[in-house]
């Protein structure tokens, strides 16, 4: 399973691609539909991760999320999945942002800025924003733990 | 009351300006979220404008012409509500901010008035949070206990179970006339009679039902009744609480402020008679007045016509949706429910589905619909709900079905 | 914020459709009951119509286009209120049914949260019933005591007396920013600071003042603030409660229902974060949205202009009325009050006077103006009140005076 | 003082006159102005009656009211006064209705009907109606006491 995940960064869209597509679409509904497409392409995670331990609270839908560091230098690998494709799209976006980054880099990343850049913030309901914040927080905590 | 010639859905739709234009994406709007709130006919919109442009003033305060006119209009509106629900006098009609406010008023004012530790409040498994949370708050304060009437295996209110739960400690029975998720109804007269037989008051949350089966509070033995203007084609911002005169006399006030008092002393006050006693502060003036054209609009169309029309839509939707693989409908048989279809689609998250349906102009709601305890027993955390109104058409039902098929394709389920 | 060229009262009047036509008796309407409620400019009326005809849906519920638009509009409105009163974030702005509801919410929720037997609530002698009765109700429940700040001999808030009443048992100080009878104001910052020095929270009833001296809650140290849309040229049916973020977090919810919950279990529930926690049930949707154009309208005209204009009217009215034999004005000097003149006329009952003034098109209010404890110290059971708004003119002041002269003749006083 | 009151029925408007005038005016504001006129013409009552005992509750303004029976057969004589002229107008109307009636007649009179006939009911505020009801009740009670 981990093996398949290692290949993800290549098969998944890069942050640049996502930003380009968002700019091209320039309509919030079409952008969210694109998120759904990204979500649909997200590979499934191992069933063993679908436990309370990995559940992110504050989400309207279920999201299970784990963060690993692989290789040397240790690079971040986000493994996450939701039962909602819109949320999986957000997961794909977070993967594009964080996967392949070092813990030092991950801690520095300003996710809010990227979301502002995408114009996504305005179009997420408060609940969905909560869920998103929950995910980002998990990732940041993992990065900080890796540093200590 | 009914107009001589039967209305057509086309002639009805014409009266709703919002249905006359596509949405900002150029899509025809298929509005199927009537359970959450209904659209407004021109006559309701016009009435609010009339109030603001012709004779607006605060209510029950001025002897000047505008003030008198506002008072008259409010009393006319009170009378039309009285007539709608079959109350004895218009002094039994209280204007509130909405169903939620009406039910909170009852929980706080009637609840603290009658509940003692060990007393019981009966709700059902299919209540809206507005008819659960206020009772929880008051139960915690008074030491009373909430008991829930279960649903039978066909998602119907279990009358037998209800009668078994009823006992001499039951002080309040508060039930929804129609579930906002299942469309399931309750036998109002029987429930009221049973409640009275143990000395409990019977409260009807008519938010969903008043429009479909107008209550007849005197005949049916309803002690208190609550509904919202915005769910019966009326303005947002106004609701109704009905209470039997003698109960309103016994009930202490809830909100304090202007108009509800008789006299205010330094450390206490005395109260005006109902309805003023429960109408503290400035009313939602234009909204309460514009509730009347909404009620007249419905009456003019005729409740029978509405019932038949919506049933037709419900049957068609149910038949079509049942054919869709992986789609499950929650609720009793169409013969026993209102025009609401809540469902899940295997492999599709309700949130994704609701979003994708809107890509075809179809407006439905997803989530727990403010009925978490119900979803607990449905075994799902969320459903998608299509709820029909008097302006919906057979073609719109077809569009719903077609949009679900499209969504399934998009989600790679077909 | 101010427009470049100064507005004229004529250009302002043009924006109020109700001022464009005589009343049904053919009289020019001289509307001087702005303290009770204000008329609505076209932009406010248009906005409600826009909501109902273009994108109406329930709020914070649907992912479909109308639902999203409604949510966006509500958030814009929240932001415009935040800006108006200088709050830190728009999550501190709660939409309610009105000032009365906002103050009741505070009394019930904050009051029961902090008050213990022997604790004290400080009000003033010039409070509106909306800021008295809820505190009486909660004082009775909690065993707290209400203490009233007296007025000095010029009908001003007695700041020294206030500081003497303040003590370590003071938990709540709730005061009107402007008396709806006297026009008297309070030194907000000083009062807030004094309240905080004994650990009390400071609540500002800004129903009358927000329009005249917009609060600046962060700078002035206001903990909670309440006002009504209908008194600031906005729609009826909507009001605002501001609360400091950390206080809103501590405060338990008041009304229970949809949207204010996080999760609902059988016997208890958990709460959403503010503002949702205090916005149970369906909001006054169209009204909350149409509050924004009202605020923008006022800001556009500019508070300085409004203040100067209304002061001019107040001075003229005061000068003319003082000349009338037997007429007594209650309130501080014009230099220290808002544009309200309350008076009695010897030999004329306020009710007769208000009626007779309307025979000349002049709309004023008579009675205790929901301030009985104040009238107790004024030594009269009722007064007549003329309250000015931004659309009133110098000619209208003259008509008021002339109408009083006519009424005196009619009542055989001259 | 009683002497002056005895003459009232002649100087005050009769019920027929009042009804005619109401019909002629046919505008609620003009009708209320006419009530004020009637009120202005109402003779003052004796100061001694202005005590708590004679105060009618439920009135927006103060009304003092007393009922006497004079002569043989005993005929009703209503003595009342308010500080508000509108209310004095209502008093004048009640006098026109009840003065000169026997207790038996007074008990039978349906005031509501007369007010409906005048169309007055619609134009009185709830509070003023309360006050009016209070006055009528006092008069009826006095009539019933006279009968027992
Ligand atoms: C000072 C003051 N407080 C509170 C209120 C109550 O406002 P509302 O009736 O809009 O709830 C008023 C309105 O008359 C007022 O003048
Ligand atoms: C059955 C039922 N009760 C109560 C409510 C609450 O109504 P409102 O939000 O208008 O206060 C609703 C509305 O969703 C409902 O469907």
């Amino acid at each position: 399973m981990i093996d398949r995940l290692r290949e993800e960064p290549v098969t998944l869209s890069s942050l640049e691609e996502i930003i380009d597509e968002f700019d091209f679409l320039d309509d919030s509904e079409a952008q969210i539909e694109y998120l759904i497409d990204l979500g649909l392409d997200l590979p499934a995670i191992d069933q063993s991760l679908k436990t309370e331990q990995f559940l992110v609270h504050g989400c309207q839908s279920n999201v299970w999320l784990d963060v690993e560091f692989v290789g040397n230098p240790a690079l971040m690998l986000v493994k996450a999945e939701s039962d909602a494709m819109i949320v999986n799209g957000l997961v794909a976006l977070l993967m594009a942002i964080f996967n392949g980054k070092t813990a030092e880099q991950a801690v520095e990343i300003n996710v809010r800025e990227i979301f502002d850049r995408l114009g996504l913030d305005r179009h997420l309901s408060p609940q969905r924003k909560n869920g998103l914040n929950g995910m980002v927080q998990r990732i940041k905590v993992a990065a900080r733990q890796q540093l200590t | 009351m009914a107009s001589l010639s039967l209305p057509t859905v086309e002639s009805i739709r014409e009266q709703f300006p919002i249905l006359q234009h596509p949405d900002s994406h150029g899509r025809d709007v298929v509005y199927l979220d009537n359970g959450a709130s209904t659209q407004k006919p021109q006559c309701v919109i016009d009435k609010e404008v009339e109030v603001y442009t012709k004779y607006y003033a605060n209510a029950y305060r001025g002897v000047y012409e505008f003030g008198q006119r506002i008072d008259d209009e409010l009393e006319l509106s009170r009378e039309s509500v009285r007539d709608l629900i079959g109350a004895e006098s218009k002094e039994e009609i209280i204007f509130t901010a909405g169903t939620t406010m009406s039910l909170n008023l009852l929980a706080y004012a009637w609840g603290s008035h009658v509940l003692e530790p060990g007393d019981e409040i009966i709700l059902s498994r299919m209540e809206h949070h507005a008819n659960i949370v206020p009772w929880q708050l008051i139960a915690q304060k008074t030491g009373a206990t909430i008991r829930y009437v279960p649903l039978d295996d066909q998602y119907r209110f279990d009358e037998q179970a209800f009668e078994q739960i009823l006992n001499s400690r039951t002080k309040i029975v508060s039930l929804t006339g129609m579930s906002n998720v299942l469309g399931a109804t309750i036998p109002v007269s029987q429930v009221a009679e049973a409640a009275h037989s143990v000395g409990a008051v019977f409260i009807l949350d008519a938010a969903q039902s008043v429009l479909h089966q107008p209550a007849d509070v005197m005949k049916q033995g309803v002690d208190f009744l609550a509904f919202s203007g915005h769910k019966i084609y009326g303005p947002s911002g106004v609701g109704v609480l009905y209470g039997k005169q003698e109960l309103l006399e016994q009930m202490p006030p809830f909100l304090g402020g202007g108009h509800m008092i008789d006299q205010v002393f330094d450390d206490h006050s005395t109260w005006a008679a109902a309805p003023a006693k429960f109408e503290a502060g400035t009313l939602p003036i234009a909204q309460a007045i514009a509730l009347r054209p909404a009620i007249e609009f419905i009456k003019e169309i005729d409740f029978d016509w509405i019932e038949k029309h919506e049933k037709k839509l419900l049957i068609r939707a149910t038949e079509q949706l049942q054919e869709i693989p992986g789609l499950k409908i929650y609720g009793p048989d169409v013969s026993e429910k209102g025009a609401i279809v809540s469902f899940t689609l295997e492999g599709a998250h309700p949130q994704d589905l609701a979003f994708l349906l809107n890509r075809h102009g179809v407006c439905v709601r997803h989530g727990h619909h403010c009925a978490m305890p119900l979803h607990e027993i449905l075994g799902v955390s969320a459903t998608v709900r299509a709820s029909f109104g008097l302006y919906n058409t057979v073609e719109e039902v077809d569009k719903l079905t077609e949009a679900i098929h499209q969504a399934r394709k998009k989600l790679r389920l077909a």
Side-chain angles (χ1 to χ4, degrees), chain A, chain B:
Chain A
M1 204 65 198
I2 293 285
D3 260 27
R4 199 166 78 90
L5 279 169
R6 267 214 195 109
E7 291 168 5
E8 273 168 41
V10 262
T11 64
L12 288 177
S13 305
S14 71
L15 186 55
E16 286 69 37
E17 282 167 344
I18 296 175
I19 291 180
D20 280 356
E21 189 67 22
F22 261 76
D23 285 354
F24 171 72
L25 291 171
D26 195 30
D27 165 89
S28 66
E29 287 190 12
Q31 288 167 346
I32 291 178
E33 190 162 348
Y34 170 60
L35 272 188
I36 289 181
D37 288 334
L38 289 177
L40 285 163
D41 288 334
L42 196 73
I45 59 168
D46 196 296
Q47 276 300 113
S48 66
L49 292 176
K50 294 194 174 174
T51 62
E52 177 64 28
Q53 185 191 346
F54 297 104
L55 199 63
V56 180
H57 287 277
C59 283
Q60 219 178 356
S61 31
N62 292 321
V63 190
W64 297 271
L65 185 145
D66 188 27
V67 179
E68 248 187 73
F69 284 87
V70 284
N72 190 341
L75 299 182
M76 191 171 248
L77 182 58
V78 175
K79 292 175 290 181
E81 187 183 333
S82 167
D83 41 8
M85 291 306 130
I86 297 179
V87 180
N88 272 343
L90 292 173
V91 167
L93 181 55
L94 290 178
M95 284 181 173
I97 294 173
F98 286 102
N99 278 0
K101 295 287 188 298
T102 63
E104 285 87 354
Q105 289 172 322
V107 166
E108 292 302 318
I109 289 173
N110 188 334
V111 177
R112 170 145 245 166
E113 247 169 36
I114 300 171
F115 275 77
D116 279 355
R117 168 68 188 78
L118 289 171
L120 241 181
D121 216 48
R122 279 191 312 132
H123 305 301
L124 296 181
S125 66
Q127 287 104 316
R128 222 176 281 150
K129 252 183 244 173
N130 264 348
L132 183 66
N133 287 341
M135 291 194 280
V136 173
Q137 225 170 306
R138 282 260 176 137
I139 295 170
K140 292 272 185 170
V141 165
R144 266 181 243 113
Q145 277 174 342
Q146 177 72 7
L147 286 177
T148 56
Chain B
M1 272 299 139
S3 48
L4 287 179
S5 61
L6 281 177
T8 61
V9 67
E10 290 73 29
S11 67
I12 290 171
R13 284 182 79 82
E14 272 169 18
Q15 301 184 52
F16 288 81
I18 203 168
L19 303 177
Q20 308 309 317
H21 58 82
D23 74 7
S24 72
H25 283 83
R27 299 176 295 228
D28 284 344
V29 176
V30 179
Y31 187 77
L32 301 180
D33 197 14
N34 296 287
S37 201
T38 52
Q39 301 298 341
K40 323 301 175 201
Q42 191 69 49
C43 60
V44 168
I45 300 168
D46 287 349
K47 191 73 188 185
E48 265 202 68
V49 172
E50 176 187 302
V51 174
Y52 288 146
T53 56
K54 297 239 171 354
Y55 49 81
Y56 179 79
N58 209 323
Y60 305 121
R61 281 157 173 85
V63 288
Y64 49 83
E65 183 178 303
F66 289 176
Q68 297 286 332
R69 174 72 188 268
I70 288 285
D71 297 357
D72 288 348
E73 291 282 344
L74 281 169
E75 292 309 304
L76 287 173
S77 189
R78 232 184 263 283
E79 169 57 24
S80 79
V81 174
R82 185 209 62 70
D83 181 59
L84 176 72
I85 62 170
E88 186 160 4
S89 94
K90 71 177 162 57
E91 275 68 42
E92 296 174 324
I93 307 301
I94 297 154
F95 289 122
T96 70
T99 306
T100 301
M101 184 64 219
S102 300
L103 291 171
N104 275 275
L105 194 163
L106 288 177
Y108 275 94
W110 188 259
S112 358
H113 182 57
V114 300
L115 292 172
E116 308 212 334
D119 280 348
E120 296 181 358
I121 302 159
I122 295 187
L123 311 175
S124 85
R125 269 286 153 217
M126 58 182 187
E127 299 309 319
H128 185 279
H129 293 163
N131 196 29
I132 300 176
V133 184
W135 301 112
Q136 290 181 341
L137 294 172
I138 215 67
Q140 280 159 17
K141 284 207 174 78
T142 58
T145 309
I146 297 177
R147 302 198 55 186
Y148 292 89
V149 182
L151 305 181
D152 69 14
D153 55 6
Q154 287 168 68
Y155 302 108
R156 294 178 303 196
F157 178 79
D158 190 335
E159 216 183 323
Q160 259 187 304
F162 166 61
E163 287 178 7
Q164 277 160 17
I165 295 173
L166 266 182
N167 70 75
S168 63
R169 307 257 25 191
T170 311
K171 290 288 156 14
I172 292 166
V173 175
S174 187
L175 299 171
T176 185
M178 186 190 294
S179 159
N180 67 321
V181 178
L182 306 172
T185 58
I186 60 167
V188 174
S189 301
Q190 288 94 306
V191 165
E193 201 184 320
H196 293 156
S197 73
V198 297
V201 304
F202 173 58
I203 299 170
L204 184 66
D205 171 0
Q208 293 292 337
S209 58
V210 68
L211 173 62
H212 302 274
Q213 319 154 304
D216 199 338
V217 293
M218 275 200 290
K219 257 201 220 140
Q220 297 180 307
V222 176
D223 296 310
F224 293 106
L225 178 147
F227 72 88
S228 297
H230 72 91
K231 288 190 203 273
I232 62 161
Y233 310 101
S236 58
V238 65
V240 163
L241 171 62
Y242 155 81
K244 249 199 173 124
Q245 167 107 43
E246 65 250 44
L247 299 178
L248 293 182
E249 276 166 21
Q250 289 165 45
M251 186 160 74
F254 173 41
L255 301 181
H259 191 59
M260 53 74 73
I261 54 95
D262 177 33
Q263 283 192 281
V264 175
F265 302 96
D266 279 11
D267 60 344
H268 76 287
S269 300
T270 56
W271 318 126
K277 181 165 125 191
F278 303 103
E279 292 181 341
T282 299
L283 284 174
I285 298 168
Q287 295 72 39
I289 290 175
L291 185 55
R292 179 160 69 105
I295 291 172
E296 282 171 359
F297 172 77
I298 305 166
K299 278 201 223 146
E300 177 89 7
I301 290 177
D302 184 89
F303 282 98
D304 276 350
W305 186 92
I306 297 177
E307 164 128 35
K308 279 202 202 101
H309 176 72
E310 292 185 1
K311 190 67 98 185
K312 184 172 66 185
L313 303 177
L314 176 67
I315 291 172
R316 191 180 182 98
T318 305
E319 283 172 358
Q320 292 185 0
L321 265 51
Q322 276 169 341
E323 298 295 307
I324 297 174
L327 192 144
K328 175 163 187 209
I329 296 175
Y330 301 84
D333 186 76
V334 288
S335 63
E336 301 189 65
K337 71 170 191 175
I340 291 174
V341 197
S342 292
F343 57 93
T344 52
L345 180 64
E346 218 182 291
H349 192 278
Q351 184 181 344
D352 293 338
L353 194 53
F355 173 80
L356 290 171
L357 295 188
N358 188 238
R359 291 300 269 162
H360 302 275
V362 175
C363 309
V364 295
R365 210 176 133 200
H366 76 283
H368 53 64
H369 313 296
C370 300
M372 279 191 183
L374 173 62
H375 279 77
E376 183 75 24
I377 64 163
L378 299 185
V380 290
S381 63
T383 50
V384 173
R385 178 183 71 185
S387 46
F388 302 97
L390 46 77
Y391 37 60
N392 289 126
T393 63
V394 164
E395 292 73 36
E396 289 183 318
V397 173
D398 299 348
K399 281 190 188 163
L400 165 67
T401 307
E402 177 53 28
I404 296 176
H405 283 301
Q406 297 291 337
R408 288 189 73 237
K409 274 190 208 139
K410 176 91 198 175
L411 292 172
R412 302 175 195 170
L413 298 170

